[in-house]
Amino acid sequence: MTATWDARPGSREPAEARWPGLAAVLDAARAAAADEAADFPAGGLMELRASGLLGLLVPGEHGGLSGDLTDLAEVTMRLARENTSLAFIFAMHCQQVAAIVRYAQGPMREQVLPDIARGRIYLASATTETGTGSHLLTSRSVTEAVAGLLRIDRDAPVVTGGEHADGFLITVQAPRATSPHEVLLVYAHRSQLGLRTLGGWQPMGMGATRSVPMRLTGEVPMGQILPARGGFHEIVTALYGPVAHIGWSATWLGTSAGALSRVVRYLRSHGGRAHSDLSSELLLTRLAKVRARLDTVHAMLRHVLAASAYIDDPSRPPYQLLANGLKVIAAEQCFDAVHELMELAGLRLGYMRDSALGLERAFRDLRSATLNYGNDRLYLIDGSLTLLDQDVCLA
Ligand SMILES: Cc1cc2nc3c(=O)[nH]c(=O)nc-3n(C[C@H](O)[C@H](O)[C@H](O)COP(=O)(O)OP(=O)(O)OC[C@H]3O[C@@H](n4cnc5c(N)ncnc54)[C@H](O)[C@@H]3O)c2cc1C
C-alpha cells in the first residue's frame, strides 16, 4: 500500500487567503451561542457546503479541491481557533471522504465524489458501538445479504452531526460472519436509511457537535461496501486511523493555539498591561510551557503528515506508533496547555463563562480529547506494537 497524498511543508499564507470561503464559515457558526444551546452549527455547515471545502480532499477530476492531508490539518486548525465543534465536524467529514477517495469503486465513486465536491453530501460516521465501544476492529452489528443488498440495523451511540448528515460510513459485521472481527465499512446515503434519533446530547463540552445516539436501518447495494484487499483492518491501519488522528489533533491544537493567542493579545493590550506584570517569572514560565506544549504537538503533527506520504507499509509498527502517538500526545498536551492558561489567567478571566478569553469553553471541549477514542485503549495497542519493534525503528 503506497501513500495517496503528497507531503509538503505547511503554508505560510493565512488559511483565509487560500480558502476564501473560510471566513464566511466562521462568521456563520458562532461558537459561544452554539455551545450554550448544544446546537449543531447549521449555518456553518451551509457555508462549508457553499465554500467547496466539503470537497477539500476530493480529486479535481471529480470536481473537488484536490487538497492533501496538510490542507485538511490547516483548515481544521483555523476553524478550531474559534470553534472546536465545527472543526471537529469538518475533520470527521474529511476522514470519511478520505476513505471514499481511497477505496470506493465503480458507480458509487462516480456518484458520491462529485456530490461531495458540490457540497451536497456531508458525511457522518457510525463506528462506535454499544458493547464494543470504540474498539474499531470488532462489530456486533449483524447484517444479512438479501437479493444483492446488504440489510443493516445498526445502533450507533455517538454520531456527530448525524441528524444533519446526507451520508454515513457505518461499520457492521459481514453477513454470515463467524467472528465479530469480520467488519465491513459501508457507505449509505440518507435516502437509503431509516434514521431514528434515540436520545439527546448534553455533554460537558463539544456541545455543538450534536453527537447523538441513532438507529440506522436500511438496505444498500453490495457495491457500497468499501473494498480493500486486507479488509477493514487495512482501511483502519492504512488510512482511517491515521486520518482521524491527524484531524482530531489539528482540532485540539487549533483550539489551544487560539486560546494562547487570545491570552497573549490580552496581556499585551492596554488593559492587560495595567492588570498583569509581564516581567513576572511565574507568568513567563507558564507562557513558555504552554507554547512548548503546542510546538511539540505541532512538530509531531507535521511529522505524521510527512511520514503519511513517504511510508511504504503503513501497517508496520513504526508508522502506527507514530500516528497513535500523535493522538494521545495531542489529547493530553492540548488540554494541559489550556489548563495551564486557566491558572495563568485566574478566576475572573480564566474560569468565568462570560470571559472574552473563552478559556472555559476550550477547557470543556478539550476535556473530551483523551476520551474520544480512549487514550487508555491506544496506549494498550501501542504497548503491544512496541513489543513487536525490538529494533525501535523510529518512523
Ligand atoms: C465529541 C465526540 C464526538 C464523537 N463522534 C463520534 C462519531 O461521529 N461517530 C462515532 O462512531 N463515534 C464518535 N465518538 C465516540 C468516540 O469515537 C469513542 O468511541 C468514544 O469516545 C469512546 O467512548 P467510551 O469511553 O464509552 O468507550 P470505550 O473506549 O469503549 O471505553 C468505555 C470504558 O471502558 C474502559 N476501557 C477501555 N478499554 C479498556 C480496557 N482494555 N480494559 C478495561 N477498561 C477499558 C474505559 O476506560 C471506559 O471507562 C465521539 C466522541 C466524542 C467525545
Side-chain angles (χ1 to χ4, degrees), residues 217-234:
T217 48
E219 291 171 353
V220 301
M222 291 293 184
Q224 290 181 205
I225 298 170
L226 296 197
R229 210 176 312 147
F232 183 58
H233 188 271
E234 178 199 310

Side-chain angles (χ1 to χ4, degrees), residues 97-176:
V97 175
I100 290 182
V101 170
R102 173 78 66 89
Y103 292 103
Q105 308 278 340
M108 171 175 56
R109 183 179 184 84
E110 300 310 316
Q111 281 162 18
V112 175
L113 287 178
D115 274 351
I116 296 171
R118 286 189 204 106
R120 290 188 189 153
I121 296 187
Y122 155 59
L123 289 168
S125 134
T127 56
T128 303
E129 264 188 32
T130 312
T132 58
S134 53
H135 190 262
L136 252 188
L137 295 172
T138 58
S139 172
R140 291 188 190 158
S141 185
V142 292
T143 54
E144 272 181 280
V146 186
L149 298 172
L150 183 73
R151 182 172 291 164
I152 299 170
D153 184 350
R154 174 73 151 81
D155 266 330
V158 200
V159 189
T160 290
E163 294 157 311
H164 299 259
D166 310 291
F168 297 80
L169 283 191
I170 309 164
T171 50
V172 288
Q173 217 178 79
R176 294 183 295 280

Side-chain angles (χ1 to χ4, degrees), residues 46-345:
M46 216 164 70
E47 291 297 339
L48 274 174
R49 291 181 192 275
S51 69
L53 284 166
L54 289 186
L56 180 67
L57 298 186
V58 175
E61 70 204 77
H62 297 289
L65 298 179
S66 293
D68 59 18
L69 296 181
T70 301
D71 293 324
L72 158 64
E74 283 178 7
V75 174
T76 303
M77 280 192 279
R78 179 63 193 91
L79 290 171
R81 277 180 175 248
E82 280 155 57
N83 192 327
T84 311
S85 287
L86 183 64
F88 187 88
I89 288 164
F90 176 73
M92 291 287 288
H93 163 82
C94 287
Q95 179 202 10
Q96 316 316 310
V97 175
I100 290 182
V101 170
R102 173 78 66 89
Y103 292 103
Q105 308 278 340
M108 171 175 56
R109 183 179 184 84
E110 300 310 316
Q111 281 162 18
V112 175
L113 287 178
D115 274 351
I116 296 171
R118 286 189 204 106
R120 290 188 189 153
I121 296 187
Y122 155 59
L123 289 168
S125 134
T127 56
T128 303
E129 264 188 32
T130 312
T132 58
S134 53
H135 190 262
L136 252 188
L137 295 172
T138 58
S139 172
R140 291 188 190 158
S141 185
V142 292
T143 54
E144 272 181 280
V146 186
L149 298 172
L150 183 73
R151 182 172 291 164
I152 299 170
D153 184 350
R154 174 73 151 81
D155 266 330
V158 200
V159 189
T160 290
E163 294 157 311
H164 299 259
D166 310 291
F168 297 80
L169 283 191
I170 309 164
T171 50
V172 288
Q173 217 178 79
R176 294 183 295 280
T178 52
S179 135
H181 296 287
E182 291 176 50
V183 178
L184 302 174
L185 186 63
V186 184
Y187 168 75
H189 189 268
R190 187 178 192 91
S191 60
Q192 297 173 312
L193 294 172
L195 296 171
R196 267 177 53 210
T197 302
L198 302 177
W201 172 249
Q202 288 299 327
M204 175 195 239
M206 304 301 285
T209 64
R210 278 290 293 167
S211 301
V212 289
M214 297 185 84
R215 182 153 178 214
L216 299 84
T217 48
E219 291 171 353
V220 301
M222 291 293 184
Q224 290 181 205
I225 298 170
L226 296 197
R229 210 176 312 147
F232 183 58
H233 188 271
E234 178 199 310
I235 296 178
V236 170
T237 53
L239 182 104
Y240 212 55
V243 175
H245 297 333
I246 288 167
W248 295 339
S249 302
T251 304
W252 303 326
L253 181 58
T255 303
S256 45
L260 175 58
S261 171
R262 291 191 295 278
V263 169
V264 172
R265 277 175 204 278
Y266 166 75
L267 289 173
R268 293 177 55 122
S269 70
H270 184 68
R273 283 173 190 277
H275 287 100
S276 331
D277 173 7
L278 296 198
S279 64
S280 149
E281 288 182 6
L282 181 59
L283 181 136
L284 292 173
T285 303
R286 281 190 164 138
L287 283 176
K289 282 186 179 171
V290 170
R291 178 68 197 227
R293 288 184 198 281
L294 302 196
D295 279 329
T296 302
V297 174
H298 187 224
M300 207 164 168
L301 173 61
R302 294 289 176 196
H303 184 46
V304 171
L305 287 167
S308 301
Y310 69 65
I311 215 84
D312 286 335
D313 180 0
S315 70
R316 291 195 54 245
Y319 176 72
Q320 291 297 309
L321 282 161
L322 185 67
N324 292 346
L326 168 66
K327 191 271 161 183
V328 293
I329 296 292
E332 290 167 2
Q333 294 298 320
C334 294
F335 174 72
D336 286 350
V338 169
H339 189 192
E340 185 125 32
L341 285 174
M342 202 175 264
E343 294 289 336
L344 182 156

